[in-house]
Amino acid sequence: MKPTQMLSMMSSTRNLIFILGDQLSPAVSSLEDADPGLDVILMCEVMEEASYVQHHKLKIALIFSAMRHFADELRNNGFDVRYTMLDDPDNSGSFAGELKRAVATVLPQRVVATEASEWRVLEAMNAWQSAIGLPVEIRTDSRFLCSKADFKTWSAGRRSLTMEYFYREMRRRTGLLMNGTDPEANRWNFDADNRKPAKPDLFRPKHKGFTPDEMTRDVLALVEKKFPKNMGSTSRFSFAVTRADAEKAADAFIRDFLPAFGETQDAMLTEEPFLNHALLSFYINIGLLDPLSLCRAAERAYFEGHAPIASVEGFIRQIIGWREYIRGIYWLAMPGYEQSNTFDAHRPLPDFFWTGDTEMVCLSTVITQTITHAYAHHIQRLMVVGNFSMLVGLDPHAVHEWYLAVYADAFEWVELPNVIGMSQFADGGFMASKPYAASGAYIARMSNYCETCRYDVTQKTGNNACPLNALYWDFLDRNAEQLSKNHRLAQTYSTWHRMDAEKKQAYRKSAAAFLQRLDDGAPV
Ligand code: FAD
Ligand code: DLZ
Ligand code: SF4
């Protein structure tokens, strides 16, 4: 028996419960049987987590402030919480280091934790037991509706991992929008009723922000001091940092935005970054909101006649469908998924990814909004930044690290499949059945960005033409070996093959000129 184990056997503390920054929920499995009289809770702000990518300042501030408020919530419930702040002089800088320090003073009989949501941290967690010489119990994360094992079973033997079929299973399993064994209103998916463009609307309700309290203001000052070079500014901080405020944000979403959620889901407007989106992913991902309760509240809004089926079904699909599916894909594909690079793309990120300084209004708008809010909605992430990155052949690993850093809701389990699989098709089709590639026409249809752009979206080639038009065909041409046999691209490739040689050459020339300007660091 190791000396720590002997001392721990005599200790009055039963469990040291380690809670990570995205496990801020009283319902988290590590707290299931927690007893304030027997257990001690450990939470820590560590440089290892705060610097594995250069996170947006707002993201670090949200997590630290929500952690500190959750520690208070636990203390108010009688728990002894051992909390290490980032600037504590004794802070060892890592989860393992903080665990060792806590074990040495608390002398627990064992350690309990909920499995980390990311592969990198779970691997480290699996080494804790041998590092500290005490039993470490790692519990599954019951906040997800589909376990890793169930997803594996669902995926086994399938030729393609189509989200829609997974989603139907989740509808049946949760009973959400179900009439016995049939879907409510006799349709599983109302996407065809959505996907509309939007017009600026001064009367559209505004999303609720929260004024930072003293605890948050301390965190904002700490973040500005310790991470001066990271993206963004904390002066705009208005996130909810407590469960009560996150619930207020959720109620406001259901009341004010859910009714029109579906119809503007894919729309983009220069002056309205949020439209009718929920702005709730940050809170769901760190545990302040429970995904199933949120879906039940949306379902209630439908049955009470407050929101139409197309909006409610669309919203519920994003959460019990896409969110759960993405998590399943992550655990199926890791480790190694982050190195996927089917198109062998190696171009570095242009500087404007950090400044928003480009003449392409679609990109400058989305990147500037990202810098300001640490947020962009799904279509902005997928069809503006993601589409551009794939068309010009940016290194998918660098693209992944950018997304992981700049969005306040970014954790690898959700960000990586969305970037590598959905937006870059870098996994060669493990997840998506075809690349989400688009020319300027898509952006012109779904946004008002092109109206103020110096490039002309109707011109196909030449210096004033929208660069995406030539880049689109050049991407398909360059990657024909991997893509031309994809039956979902058959019509697109047949258009390309029917094009006369001169036109094809003009596309190639325009794309090459743009890529040269990009590589030279010239303004684009
Ligand atoms: P809404 O559009 O209002 O949707 C409601 C909820 O559905 C979201 O809060 C979220 O919980 C869920 N959801 C919707 N789409 C997805 C999806 N594809 N995957 C998982 N959950 C989804 N989401 C993250 O939470 N973290 C990320 O790091 C992240 N990175 C992304 C990167 C790319 C390239 C793309 C295309 C998508 C990414 N997403 C990510 C998914 C989606 O863009 C965000 O969940 C959404 O924009 C969050 O804003 P919202 O709460 O206003 O969502
Ligand atoms: C994202 C993040 C950051 C920036 N900092 C911390 C931290 O200091 N302490 C902590 O417990 N969690 C942090 N997080 C969230 C973690 O990265 C996240 O909980 C795990 O990586 C999940 O695998
Ligand atoms: Fe973007 Fe092209 Fe439209 Fe300009 S014209 S905003 S580059 S799609």
Side-chain angles (χ1 to χ4, degrees):
M1 191 177 283
K2 290 188 179 172
T4 27
Q5 232 169 333
M6 263 162 46
L7 284 169
S8 295
M9 295 216 9
M10 297 182 294
S11 153
S12 59
T13 301
R14 181 183 60 171
N15 296 331
L16 178 66
I17 303 174
F18 199 155
I19 296 186
L20 302 180
D22 63 351
Q23 300 178 342
L24 310 180
S25 161
V28 75
S29 55
S30 56
L31 288 174
E32 241 159 40
D33 51 353
D35 183 332
L38 296 174
D39 305 323
V40 172
I41 290 171
L42 171 64
M43 297 177 73
C44 47
E45 299 167 6
V46 289
M47 217 22 135
E48 181 184 57
E49 286 306 295
S51 62
Y52 65 85
V53 287
Q54 220 182 69
H55 304 282
H56 196 295
K57 285 179 189 166
L58 291 175
K59 176 181 177 188
I60 306 176
L62 166 68
I63 291 167
F64 285 5
S65 179
M67 284 174 68
R68 291 184 188 191
H69 283 86
F70 186 59
D72 262 12
E73 186 183 331
L74 292 169
R75 284 188 189 110
N76 290 339
N77 287 328
F79 281 103
D80 176 2
V81 182
R82 190 188 148 101
Y83 191 101
T84 317
M85 293 193 185
L86 191 76
D87 53 0
D88 183 326
D90 296 327
N91 190 329
S92 63
S94 71
F95 284 151
E98 285 313 282
L99 179 63
K100 270 191 198 155
R101 278 201 323 125
V103 164
T105 46
V106 175
L107 296 171
Q109 289 162 18
R110 59 178 193 151
V111 171
V112 172
T114 291
E115 62 183 341
S117 62
E118 299 171 310
W119 194 84
R120 169 184 58 84
V121 184
L122 185 54
E123 279 294 287
M125 243 181 191
N126 287 330
W128 285 354
Q129 180 154 317
S130 60
I132 60 170
L134 281 182
V136 176
E137 187 194 344
I138 300 174
R139 298 180 179 169
T140 53
D141 192 341
S142 53
R143 294 172 302 164
F144 289 96
L145 305 170
C146 179
S147 69
K148 295 175 191 174
D150 283 357
F151 191 85
K152 208 168 177 182
T153 307
W154 174 80
S155 66
R158 281 173 191 265
R159 269 199 301 133
S160 75
L161 302 178
T162 308
M163 198 292 291
E164 182 64 24
Y165 298 120
F166 170 77
Y167 164 58
R168 291 179 190 179
E169 287 292 319
M170 296 303 289
R171 287 273 293 278
R172 289 189 190 99
R173 186 188 281 203
T174 56
L176 282 161
L177 294 180
M178 293 298 293
N179 258 328
T181 53
D182 295 325
E184 176 64 24
N186 293 317
R187 258 165 74 186
W188 290 104
N189 185 317
F190 286 78
D191 226 12
D193 299 4
N194 296 332
R195 297 183 175 151
K196 299 195 177 96
K199 287 204 170 62
D201 178 358
L202 286 176
F203 299 105
R204 207 184 314 277
K206 299 278 170 276
H207 284 80
K208 194 170 169 45
F210 298 86
T211 309
D213 63 7
E214 197 183 332
M215 191 179 270
T216 299
R217 288 198 301 274
D218 284 349
V219 168
L220 301 183
L222 174 79
V223 170
E224 287 294 352
K225 186 168 157 215
K226 295 281 186 189
F227 307 96
K229 296 207 170 85
N230 291 32
M231 183 183 274
S233 155
T234 55
S235 61
R236 306 273 317 213
F237 190 94
S238 61
F239 289 124
V241 291
T242 61
R243 187 171 331 289
D245 280 351
E247 276 163 9
K248 278 185 205 154
D251 291 347
F253 165 70
I254 302 237
R255 186 186 63 232
D256 299 336
F257 302 100
L258 181 62
F261 173 80
E263 66 191 48
T264 56
Q265 208 181 336
D266 287 8
M268 297 175 281
L269 290 175
T270 323
E271 48 290 275
E272 290 188 60
F274 309 135
L275 284 159
N276 292 300
H277 286 276
L279 272 70
L280 296 177
S281 50
F282 342 101
Y283 310 137
I284 306 172
N285 292 352
I286 63 175
L288 294 188
L289 290 177
D290 171 51
L292 187 58
S293 312
L294 197 55
C295 291
R296 297 231 183 276
E299 185 191 42
R300 261 194 314 278
Y302 164 70
F303 284 120
E304 286 166 6
H306 172 64
I309 184 77
S311 281
V312 174
E313 184 282 314
F315 179 72
I316 287 177
R317 174 159 26 90
Q318 304 311 311
I319 296 190
I320 65 168
W322 278 111
R323 187 172 185 272
E324 294 286 331
Y325 170 83
I326 288 284
R327 192 233 184 192
I329 293 282
Y330 177 75
W331 285 103
L332 213 54
M334 285 299 280
Y337 197 54
E338 74 287 2
Q339 300 303 336
S340 313
N341 191 354
T342 203
F343 299 129
D344 200 23
H346 294 286
R347 189 162 267 117
L349 301 196
D351 286 349
F352 68 73
F353 269 51
W354 305 102
T355 61
D357 188 10
T358 162
E359 291 180 311
M360 305 175 78
V361 168
C362 50
L363 282 155
S364 69
T365 306
V366 175
I367 294 171
T368 306
Q369 285 173 5
T370 299
I371 295 168
T372 312
H373 303 290
Y375 176 84
H377 71 64
H378 186 71
I379 292 299
Q380 294 177 312
R381 296 187 207 197
L382 182 64
M383 299 309 293
V384 177
V385 180
N387 180 48
F388 174 83
S389 304
M390 182 175 67
L391 296 189
V392 302
L394 299 187
D395 177 347
H397 193 265
V399 177
H400 142 62
E401 290 200 325
W402 184 85
Y403 277 93
L404 190 54
V406 305
Y407 292 111
D409 59 15
F411 295 87
E412 196 184 76
W413 68 266
V414 54
E415 170 276 335
L416 190 67
N418 270 304
V419 172
I420 291 289
M422 195 186 307
S423 92
Q424 300 304 290
F425 203 73
D427 62 0
F430 178 68
M431 185 180 135
S433 55
K434 77 173 179 92
Y436 282 91
S439 67
Y442 176 85
I443 312 273
R445 190 165 62 249
M446 297 312 298
S447 79
N448 62 357
Y449 297 155
C450 306
E451 291 167 17
T452 51
C453 189
R454 92 129 185 97
Y455 294 108
D456 182 349
V457 74
T458 63
Q459 285 189 41
K460 305 287 181 210
T461 54
N463 285 346
N464 292 325
C466 167
L468 299 178
N469 293 340
L471 289 168
Y472 171 74
W473 287 116
D474 189 61
F475 164 78
L476 291 168
D477 185 31
R478 240 176 28 237
N479 298 301
E481 207 177 304
Q482 284 105 312
L483 296 177
S484 60
K485 289 186 192 73
N486 183 319
H487 72 276
R488 295 198 61 200
L489 290 172
Q491 221 177 338
T492 314
Y493 272 102
S494 108
T495 308
W496 174 246
H497 292 314
R498 281 200 317 271
M499 230 179 254
D500 64 54
E502 213 175 304
K503 203 165 167 189
K504 281 184 180 164
Q505 208 41 37
Y507 275 130
R508 289 188 185 112
K509 209 174 137 202
S510 271
F514 180 87
L515 293 174
Q516 190 60 56
R517 289 211 304 281
L518 203 62
D519 293 344
D520 292 345
V524 290

